[in-house]
Amino acid sequence: MSFRWVSMWFLCALLWACTPASTEVREPAPTPTAIPPTPTTALITPTPRPPLDATLRQQIFTEVWTTINEHYLDPTFNGVDWARVRAEYGARALAAEDDASFFAVISAMVRLLRDDHSRFVPPQAVITEDQLTRGREEQVGIGVSTLPLSDGLLIQHVFPDSPAARAGLQPRDRIVAIDGLSFNLGSIEGPLGSSVRLLIVQPEGDSRELELIRERVEGRIEPLIRRLSDDVAYVGINTLWVNDMHEQVARALQRLMAERPLQGVILDLRSNPGGWRDVLSGLLGHFVTGDVGEFISRKGATSLVVTARNPDLRGLPLVILVDHGTASYAELLAAVLQQEAQATVIGRPSAGNTETIYAYEITGGARLWVAQEVFRLNDGSDLEGKGVQPDIQPSSDWTRFRFEADPWIALALDRIREVR
């Protein structure tokens, strides 16, 4: 599955068909400019909807404008005259020639805020997000999740019994060409039964060409958890958007602890775009407890209070891996553990995209995300625009190595040995 991150992770929560307001989901969203990864959209054929009449268009537009007016984090709307916007874009929305153009006008209106967080999601994209939030990935493709880089699509995961798995593709392989075109001009997805030609470059430097037949592939989005040398647990989490991710991690860690005690933990959040607040709190609870910071909105401050989770790993040496693609609640996870659990952070500065957004279900099945909160750590610092600053910044490019030879993981193991 070559995910399309822009359509998948920008959307979240459950679909309410007709209610205008306030399903509050509290997610900081990934930003298109700051977050490299792009997982696949599921290929879902939405149920046809009747065209919107003028009354419904007016209702949808009013809900979007009013929700932003009442809840947006910055009361000055980043310098935008929001009252004037209502008159200008309201007329354009009602005059749009079809529903797609109508939704495009509303999306353009929300983008006027220029915050890379708030966004409007049309109904068909909401359907896709809801499925992916449940942790299932479906598509017609070859069965991989990928991370777009400047010179190719880095394979992050190969789904079992998929065309990619049968062809021997592995994580950290790069797809550099698709059907003879540059990787960013072709598509791994396509019609069921169609063929796709790929040029693959391996970390070892070898390349290979292969032709695969696209199939319908379904897979579970899971963490990667292994016991490394010296009884160090490796916990790789590439998203917090799967709503039971913290529970999956807890079960896997419990299994490791049942075998024999752990002597340290490496938490790999590289290119993780963030996700649900419950997942953030659940993961934190293995390492810290109590008040770890606060969310601040126009209505005041709300503390983030963490309760203990099983297994209790407090006091174990902890190293966190981050990079420029680590964003949103993944950044908060790293920053809180760096400050409250004295974790060592290795990598590159994270995205600095940590404003919290809330989801509002809009009439007709659309969704609006509104930036409503900032997060401050206990020392008063705010990561927005700054990101998590690593304690150690390697010069190597981790994407050029297999997992077993990853130099960042080797540095993390060395760090744990030093502090034990």
Side-chain angles (χ1 to χ4, degrees):
M1 299 168 206
S2 86
F3 286 51
R4 300 268 183 248
W5 206 262
V6 173
S7 50
M8 168 179 161
W9 300 117
F10 285 177
L11 324 171
C12 259
L14 299 174
L15 178 65
W16 289 17
C18 301
T19 167
S22 83
T23 301
E24 298 180 338
V25 187
R26 299 179 187 166
E27 310 307 352
T31 16
T33 54
I35 300 178
T38 52
T40 359
T41 38
L43 297 180
I44 298 172
T45 302
T47 303
R49 298 172 180 267
L52 300 172
D53 59 25
T55 301
L56 274 176
R57 285 190 178 193
Q58 183 63 63
Q59 182 175 351
I60 292 169
F61 178 87
T62 300
E63 288 173 10
V64 172
W65 184 92
T66 302
T67 301
I68 292 173
N69 190 59
E70 293 177 352
H71 298 287
Y72 189 62
L73 175 63
D74 180 4
T76 72
F77 305 98
N78 289 334
V80 176
D81 186 339
W82 200 240
R84 183 176 178 178
V85 164
R86 180 174 194 170
E88 178 184 347
Y89 278 78
R92 289 173 57 184
L94 291 177
E97 62 181 357
D98 53 32
D99 289 354
S101 301
F102 167 74
F103 290 133
V105 170
I106 294 184
S107 295
M109 179 181 74
V110 177
R111 286 197 300 271
L112 292 174
L113 296 168
R114 303 186 309 278
D115 66 5
D116 289 332
H117 299 75
S118 303
R119 61 187 56 84
F120 176 79
V121 184
Q124 63 272 22
V126 170
I127 295 171
T128 297
E129 170 56 27
D130 289 344
Q131 181 185 28
L132 295 169
T133 298
R134 292 190 290 271
R136 305 301 301 183
E137 173 66 26
E138 288 185 22
Q139 57 133 301
V140 175
I142 65 170
V144 297
S145 61
T146 63
L147 176 66
L149 301 173
S150 61
D151 60 350
L153 302 175
L154 184 73
I155 294 178
Q156 294 180 297
H157 182 72
V158 179
F159 286 83
D161 195 28
S162 65
R166 293 192 291 273
L169 293 182
Q170 300 179 56
R172 310 284 180 104
D173 285 343
R174 258 180 176 75
I175 301 172
V176 299
I178 302 171
D179 288 329
L181 301 173
S182 173
F183 70 94
N184 54 352
L185 299 177
S187 176
I188 296 175
E189 298 168 3
L192 183 67
S194 62
S195 64
V196 58
R197 289 183 295 111
L198 305 176
L199 177 60
I200 307 295
V201 174
Q202 300 170 324
E204 298 82 5
D206 298 329
S207 63
R208 58 186 293 218
E209 291 189 75
L210 65 162
E211 184 170 323
L212 302 179
I213 303 300
R214 296 181 175 102
E215 297 177 6
R216 186 171 298 280
V217 181
E218 180 177 353
R220 174 75 175 162
I221 302 170
E222 299 175 335
L224 174 62
I225 300 185
R226 298 182 180 181
R227 185 187 294 271
L228 303 182
S229 60
D230 299 329
D231 287 322
V232 173
Y234 170 86
V235 182
I237 307 174
N238 62 14
T239 179
L240 306 184
W241 283 106
V242 175
N243 54 21
D244 70 341
M245 183 59 74
H246 56 308
E247 295 167 356
Q248 292 188 56
V249 170
R251 289 192 294 268
L253 289 173
Q254 288 163 12
R255 288 193 293 269
L256 287 184
M257 292 288 284
E259 296 170 0
R260 60 181 183 273
L262 295 171
Q263 301 301 317
V265 178
I266 299 171
L267 180 59
D268 190 346
L269 301 176
R270 288 176 291 189
S271 297
N272 183 318
W276 300 107
R277 187 174 292 187
D278 284 348
V279 176
L280 166 66
S281 297
L283 292 171
L284 284 171
H286 295 293
F287 306 101
V288 295
T289 59
D291 186 341
V292 298
E294 59 183 6
F295 295 95
I296 301 171
S297 71
R298 284 161 63 177
K299 298 179 180 179
T302 303
S303 294
L304 175 58
V305 179
V306 178
T307 57
R309 296 269 296 177
N310 179 33
D312 184 351
L313 304 176
R314 288 176 294 173
L316 284 184
L318 175 61
V319 174
I320 303 170
L321 305 181
V322 301
D323 63 11
H324 298 313
T326 307
S328 185
Y329 277 7
E331 293 183 87
L332 299 194
L333 177 56
V336 167
L337 294 178
Q338 185 183 40
Q339 185 169 116
E340 302 293 331
Q342 292 73 55
T344 300
V345 176
I346 294 177
R348 306 284 167 75
S350 62
N353 179 9
T354 57
E355 287 183 359
T356 303
I357 62 173
Y358 281 58
Y360 291 85
E361 306 308 319
I362 302 298
T363 292
R367 180 170 294 144
L368 175 68
W369 293 94
V370 181
Q372 288 186 216
E373 294 174 334
V374 295
F375 184 80
R376 297 198 194 287
L377 295 162
N378 279 336
D379 67 358
S381 59
D382 175 2
L383 300 177
E384 181 68 21
K386 305 182 185 80
V388 179
Q389 299 304 308
D391 302 293
I392 301 170
Q393 296 199 37
S395 58
S396 55
D397 179 357
W398 67 269
T399 70
R400 304 288 176 181
F401 299 85
R402 296 284 186 204
F403 176 90
E404 294 75 13
D406 190 325
W408 292 23
I409 294 176
L411 279 173
L413 284 169
D414 288 344
R415 178 60 180 166
I416 288 174
R417 294 185 189 107
E418 289 173 7
V419 301
R420 246 188 348 215

